[in-house]
Amino acid sequence: MNWSKESWKKKPIKQQPTYQDIKELSIIEKELSNLPPLVFAGETRNLKKELAKVCRGEAYLLQGGDCAESFDQFSANNIKDLFKILLQMAVVLTYAGEKPVVKIGRVAGQFAKPRSSDIESKDGLELPSFRGDIINSSEFNQNARIPDPSRMIKAYNQAAVTQNLLKGFARGGLADLHEVTKWNLDFVKNSTLGLKYQEMAKQIEQTLKFMESCGINPSSSPQIAETTLYTSHEALLMPYETALTREDSTKGGWYDCSAHFVWIGERTRDLDGAHIEFFRGIQNPIGVKISDKISPDELIKLTQVLNPTNEEGRLTLIVRMGADKIEENLPSLIRAIKKEGRNVIWSSDPMHGNTFNSSTNYKTRMFDKVLFEVKKFFEIHKAEGTIPGGIHLEMTGKNVTECVGGFQDITEEKLGEKYTTTCDPRLNASQALELAFLISDIMKKSKIG
Ligand code: PEP
Ligand code: CO
């Protein structure tokens, strides 16, 4: 198919840094190409099989994590908290949906950010925009904003440690369903939300006891005590992704071994652009973000280029239209995909179309708008007879104050209390869990209705 891991270089490219020292860049690229892969081809094939089930409506996809991972905020505790909240949400959704939940973190590589403007200005000073810790520093001074290729090595190392932690948490006892009651978060413990979670946990505990008396236990069924959390990020920064793209020594084929799942952002999905060229040749399961700006025709072409064999589980369409635009724009896309018989997973990103600036001058999102977009997503799929396969969230396991609303009722005035994101505002652990419960209600209702 006339593809190589470098064939994207002949295509127009967007959202890349301009490195000043080209020699240094090529030294770093060489170093990265010799470093071990962060994930293995076989693991990405397993994920693709699980996503094929999502595509057929036999499983549900939960994808979430930071908008941008950061070097400064990297700690085992932060990773552990994200792992725990994703697992809690998965338990809630599994319980309601009666289907397995495929869990993918925006983690272990989610460093590079596309920006709407190349320039950021503050108090009359104009500087190049912050593009994520893998590229430059968020500090507001000229030097900090110079793209530094050695940051790719630091990002790689952080991603490697994160992968190791996630595997440890997934297999080392933390994911044991027996522990489920103990996962309750301190700050929701005595609230309605906390009690709702505890009640469900109690029922799961009883079910586990019943199963154990029937001889079903962790040694006969490891999935009771273990899980898998796959990794993902927007594969934006091409030198990094290219250096980690490897040919599978067992079965052949090229894999981007920087993460199990990689996606193309809304700003870099031009049909004739570099990112599409790169993605069409890798065998990982992949995603594309789509907004109201895509036409049904363009979408069909994208699916043909990115998934020519129409393989189930290969392609996830991550819909990020905004609460006010989804009703008008999603149905025609769904109909086109249905008419052409394209196999895709429909996933809802209710974050990126709902960002606004608060009166207190924070970039934020309203919990109710997020929920509204998810609800509409489910309703539209129900009306079209298609599968609302998953959800894609910017969220953290920490008790931050970045999004407005939720049962803690975070107001615009409170946003400054714990606003720590380096890019977009995230749901905090309580808002994420609340959203999972609300989605579980929608799932239950749509089963009855
Ligand atoms: C993101 O997921 O952080 C992002 C930049 O999304 P989008 O490409 O949809 O704007
Ligand atoms: Co974002």
Side-chain angles (χ1 to χ4, degrees), residues 119-130 137-141 145 361:
I119 301 289
E120 195 180 318
S121 43
K122 210 170 20 194
D123 307 326
L125 181 59
E126 284 197 340
L127 290 179
S129 292
F130 169 55
S137 157
S138 60
E139 273 175 54
F140 199 72
N141 65 66
R145 295 299 168 91
N361 216 15

Coordinates of all heavy atoms in Angstrom, one line a residue, residues 119-130 137-141 145 361:
I119 N 0.1 31.5 19.4 CA 0.5 32.6 20.3 C -0.3 32.7 21.5 O -1.6 32.5 21.5 CB 0.5 34.0 19.6 CG1 1.3 34.0 18.3 CG2 0.9 35.1 20.5 CD1 2.8 33.9 18.5
E120 N 0.3 32.8 22.7 CA -0.4 33.1 23.9 C 0.0 34.4 24.4 O 1.1 34.8 24.5 CB 0.0 32.0 24.9 CG -0.9 31.8 26.1 CD -0.3 30.7 27.0 OE1 0.1 29.6 26.5 OE2 -0.3 30.9 28.2
S121 N -1.0 35.2 24.8 CA -0.6 36.6 25.3 C -1.2 36.8 26.7 O -2.2 36.3 27.1 CB -1.1 37.7 24.4 OG -2.4 37.5 24.0
K122 N -0.3 37.4 27.5 CA -0.7 37.7 28.9 C -0.1 39.0 29.3 O 1.1 39.3 29.0 CB -0.1 36.6 29.8 CG -1.0 36.4 31.1 CD -0.7 35.3 32.0 CE 0.4 34.4 32.2 NZ 0.5 33.3 32.9
D123 N -0.9 39.9 29.8 CA -0.4 41.2 30.3 C 0.4 41.9 29.2 O 1.5 42.5 29.5 CB 0.4 41.2 31.6 CG -0.3 40.4 32.7 OD1 -1.6 40.5 32.7 OD2 0.3 39.7 33.4
G124 N 0.0 41.8 28.0 CA 0.6 42.6 26.9 C 1.8 41.8 26.3 O 2.4 42.2 25.3
L125 N 2.2 40.7 26.9 CA 3.4 39.9 26.4 C 2.9 38.8 25.5 O 2.0 38.0 25.9 CB 4.2 39.4 27.6 CG 5.5 38.6 27.2 CD1 6.5 39.4 26.4 CD2 6.2 38.1 28.5
E126 N 3.5 38.6 24.4 CA 3.1 37.5 23.5 C 4.2 36.5 23.4 O 5.4 36.8 23.1 CB 2.9 38.1 22.0 CG 1.5 38.8 21.9 CD 1.1 39.0 20.5 OE1 2.0 38.9 19.6 OE2 -0.1 39.2 20.3
L127 N 3.8 35.2 23.6 CA 4.8 34.1 23.6 C 4.3 33.0 22.7 O 3.0 32.9 22.6 CB 5.1 33.6 25.0 CG 5.9 34.5 25.9 CD1 6.0 33.8 27.3 CD2 7.3 34.9 25.4
P128 N 5.2 32.1 22.2 CA 4.6 30.9 21.5 C 3.8 30.1 22.5 O 4.1 30.0 23.7 CB 5.9 30.1 21.2 CG 7.0 31.1 21.2 CD 6.6 32.2 22.2
S129 N 2.8 29.4 22.1 CA 1.9 28.7 22.9 C 2.6 27.5 23.6 O 3.5 26.9 23.0 CB 0.7 28.2 22.2 OG -0.1 29.2 21.8
F130 N 2.1 27.1 24.7 CA 2.5 25.9 25.4 C 1.9 24.7 24.6 O 0.7 24.7 24.3 CB 2.0 25.9 26.8 CG 2.1 24.6 27.5 CD1 3.3 23.9 27.7 CD2 1.0 23.9 28.1 CE1 3.5 22.7 28.3 CE2 1.1 22.7 28.8 CZ 2.3 22.1 28.9
S137 N 7.7 24.1 27.9 CA 7.3 24.2 29.3 C 6.1 25.2 29.3 O 6.1 26.2 28.6 CB 8.4 24.7 30.1 OG 8.0 25.3 31.3
S138 N 5.2 25.0 30.3 CA 4.1 25.9 30.4 C 4.4 27.2 31.1 O 3.7 28.2 31.1 CB 3.0 25.2 31.2 OG 3.4 24.9 32.5
E139 N 5.6 27.3 31.7 CA 6.1 28.6 32.3 C 6.0 29.7 31.3 O 6.3 29.5 30.1 CB 7.5 28.5 32.8 CG 7.6 27.9 34.2 CD 9.1 27.7 34.6 OE1 9.8 28.7 34.5 OE2 9.4 26.6 34.9
F140 N 5.6 30.9 31.8 CA 5.4 32.0 30.8 C 6.6 32.8 30.6 O 6.7 34.0 31.1 CB 4.1 32.8 31.3 CG 3.6 33.6 30.1 CD1 2.9 33.0 29.1 CD2 3.7 35.0 30.1 CE1 2.3 33.8 28.0 CE2 3.2 35.8 29.1 CZ 2.5 35.2 28.1
N141 N 7.6 32.3 30.0 CA 8.7 33.1 29.5 C 9.3 32.6 28.2 O 9.1 31.4 27.9 CB 9.8 33.2 30.6 CG 10.5 31.9 30.9 OD1 11.2 31.3 30.1 ND2 10.2 31.4 32.1
R145 N 9.4 28.4 26.4 CA 8.5 28.1 25.3 C 9.2 27.5 24.1 O 8.7 27.2 23.0 CB 7.6 29.2 24.9 CG 6.6 29.6 26.0 CD 5.6 28.5 26.3 NE 4.9 28.7 27.5 CZ 3.7 29.3 27.5 NH1 3.1 29.8 26.4 NH2 3.0 29.5 28.7
N361 N -12.7 33.9 35.0 CA -11.6 33.7 34.1 C -10.9 32.4 34.1 O -9.7 32.3 34.0 CB -10.6 34.9 34.2 CG -10.1 35.3 32.8 OD1 -10.6 34.8 31.8 ND2 -9.0 36.0 32.8

